[in-house]
Amino acid sequence: MVRCFSLILVAVFIKVQLCLQSSCAGKQEPASQEGAAGCGCDKLRRAAAGSEDPEERASSEAAVKYTAAGNEATSEMVFIPGGEFLMGTDNPGIPQDGEGPQRPVHVDSFYMDVLEVTNQQFQSFIEATGYVTEAEKFGNSFVFEGILSEAVKSQITQAVAAAPWWLPVKGANWKHPEGQDSNITDRLDHPVVHVSWADAVAFCSWANKRLPTEAEWEYACRGGLRDRLYPWGNKLNPKGQHYANLWQGDFPVHNSGEDGYVKTSPVKSFPANAFGLHDTVGNVWEWTSDWWTVHHTTDKQHNPTGPPSGQDKVKKGGSYMCHKSYCYRYRCAARSQNTPDSSASNLGFRCVSQKKQ
Ligand SMILES: *[C@@H]1O[C@H](CO)[C@@H](O)[C@H](O)[C@H]1NC(C)=O
Ligand SMILES: [Ca+2]
Ligand SMILES: [Ca+2]
């Protein structure tokens, strides 16, 4: 199995310049397997990851401090009627991600947030609890180079070697998505970003909810459709309309913003699927509760929860940075992974619960 690269420190100034001028863009096309897997979304990991078990840390913090839910602050939920579906695909867009084989899975009914958790909602959680996110504790987070100010870029001396467009930015966190000179004042209705897996678990616990399993997330994404690529069917842009906030143009140098957005979009900017869920695919990646594996049984599964342990957590749905040429992961069966302490400018979450909140 291909393990992820660790964060290799390089002199990025030169690297980014090179990247912008030619080499990276050239490498991205055509859509070879390598190119398709090369978005770098899974390459983000902190240089000095803590050894604590994030699951334990998240659940104990959540249990002790954050049991009082502020329900008005959290999203409207929709009932997802349980049933059996075909999880994964036998025609994987990115085989090494473990998208296949297609397999029968039953999930029980549950409720799911209609929308990705927003900055406004996350702010209510912080105000109510005093919670400090991992990005704030670490003092930095990963930001896509293309959305940074020149002032911030000029201070950065490191990058992710395998994906030089990801820069660890000092002071970047949920309140300052592109570093210290940015804020969320004009994007309270955008999805919160720079939240680690434990941060997401803490928020959901506070709201008396939890993260979805990968199976629940994928079942919900499919909206009752069988064996389709997207939450709305097989055509990316039916009738010329955009159904998700993705990337149009050439990655990583030019985002044409044809769908209306070059960064995150306000939640609900694109149509809902048949279950009433918006932005499952696109806008921001969404954490799930499962540990990552690329090996799946074809035996019928009942409410699967993934491997008992692991190093990375599964994230689903792709983001505003996804383009077919290098990150064809804006499909319900697609998946990627990050270490649980990772946070980035295109990674958020939504919650589920067994009971109506
Ligand atoms: C937030 O950012 C906007 C635009 O980027 C800026 O005009 C505004 O002054 C900032 N607000 C604060 C409180 O820093
Ligand atoms: Ca877009
Ligand atoms: Ca999403």
Side-chain angles (χ1 to χ4, degrees):
M1 191 185 5
V2 182
R3 289 290 326 141
C4 293
F5 307 1
S6 48
L7 178 72
I8 299 170
L9 310 181
V10 293
V12 82
F13 230 4
I14 297 163
K15 188 120 189 161
V16 167
Q17 289 308 113
L18 283 174
C19 187
L20 288 174
Q21 279 159 19
S22 60
S23 60
C24 294
K27 250 187 280 173
Q28 299 313 317
E29 6 165 358
S32 65
Q33 283 311 346
E34 204 183 336
C39 74
C41 295
D42 58 339
K43 301 293 190 290
L44 309 178
R45 51 189 56 222
R46 296 197 178 276
S51 57
E52 288 172 274
D53 177 355
E55 203 131 22
E56 228 166 58
R57 189 173 61 217
S59 63
S60 65
E61 285 190 9
V64 177
K65 289 195 286 187
Y66 311 121
T67 45
N71 286 337
E72 301 122 53
T74 67
S75 173
E76 184 195 338
M77 302 187 94
V78 70
F79 181 67
I80 310 291
E84 189 176 314
F85 78 114
L86 293 172
M87 185 166 174
T89 174
D90 286 332
N91 297 298
I94 304 177
Q96 62 270 40
D97 280 353
E99 295 178 7
Q102 194 175 60
R103 53 213 184 266
V105 168
H106 171 93
V107 295
D108 289 341
S109 300
F110 60 101
Y111 290 83
M112 188 174 219
D113 288 351
V114 167
L115 308 171
E116 296 159 331
V117 171
T118 64
N119 284 319
Q120 176 103 61
Q121 291 161 358
F122 200 78
Q123 184 168 277
S124 301
F125 160 63
I126 298 288
E127 282 168 0
T129 62
Y131 183 87
V132 179
T133 61
E134 293 202 270
E136 290 166 285
K137 287 181 194 157
F138 281 110
N140 61 40
S141 189
F142 287 103
V143 184
F144 172 54
E145 179 270 336
I147 61 177
L148 283 175
S149 70
E150 291 305 321
V152 168
K153 260 191 281 188
S154 69
Q155 290 165 16
I156 295 169
T157 55
Q158 303 173 352
V160 179
W165 46 86
W166 280 112
L167 304 183
V169 172
K170 190 164 169 263
N173 59 50
W174 71 277
K175 275 182 290 193
H176 304 288
E178 293 89 40
Q180 276 150 349
D181 64 352
S182 66
N183 64 57
I184 56 169
T185 308
D186 59 353
R187 356 174 187 171
L188 289 172
D189 58 350
H190 288 228
V192 65
V193 290
H194 299 297
V195 282
S196 70
W197 185 85
D199 298 338
V201 168
F203 176 96
C204 292
S205 303
W206 169 73
N208 286 327
K209 301 178 186 178
R210 59 177 172 81
L211 283 179
T213 64
E214 181 181 9
E216 287 171 333
W217 194 98
E218 185 170 327
Y219 180 76
C221 179
R222 292 180 179 281
L225 297 177
R226 194 183 159 91
D227 208 15
R228 292 292 191 277
L229 292 171
Y230 310 117
W232 55 88
N234 273 338
K235 284 187 74 172
L236 182 58
N237 299 317
K239 300 197 174 100
Q241 296 296 302
H242 289 280
Y243 275 65
N245 182 6
L246 306 172
W247 180 296
Q248 296 85 37
D250 300 314
F251 188 85
V253 290
H254 180 239
N255 187 340
S256 73
E258 188 188 292
D259 60 19
Y261 305 94
V262 295
K263 299 196 270 184
T264 56
S265 43
V267 294
K268 225 175 185 170
S269 297
F270 294 87
N273 75 358
F275 285 157
L277 305 167
H278 294 265
D279 303 299
T280 45
V281 152
N283 212 11
V284 291
W285 281 100
E286 300 175 25
W287 286 113
T288 75
S289 54
D290 292 26
W291 289 109
W292 173 262
T293 180
V294 295
H295 304 291
H296 314 291
T297 176
T298 51
D299 295 346
K300 186 176 167 186
Q301 299 287 293
H302 204 84
N303 299 317
T305 55
S309 62
Q311 299 205 308
D312 291 338
K313 288 288 183 179
V314 177
K315 61 179 181 180
K316 296 284 276 185
S319 79
Y320 65 89
M321 287 176 58
C322 280
H323 182 275
K324 189 166 187 177
S325 69
Y326 73 99
C327 187
Y328 183 36
R329 291 190 174 90
Y330 42 89
R331 294 168 289 114
C332 294
R335 54 208 298 275
S336 189
Q337 87 258 43
N338 281 116
T339 57
D341 61 359
S342 299
S343 58
S345 55
N346 67 345
L347 176 51
F349 68 104
R350 77 179 71 205
C351 314
V352 298
S353 66
Q354 230 53 49
K355 289 193 209 134
K356 194 165 173 59
Q357 295 297 310

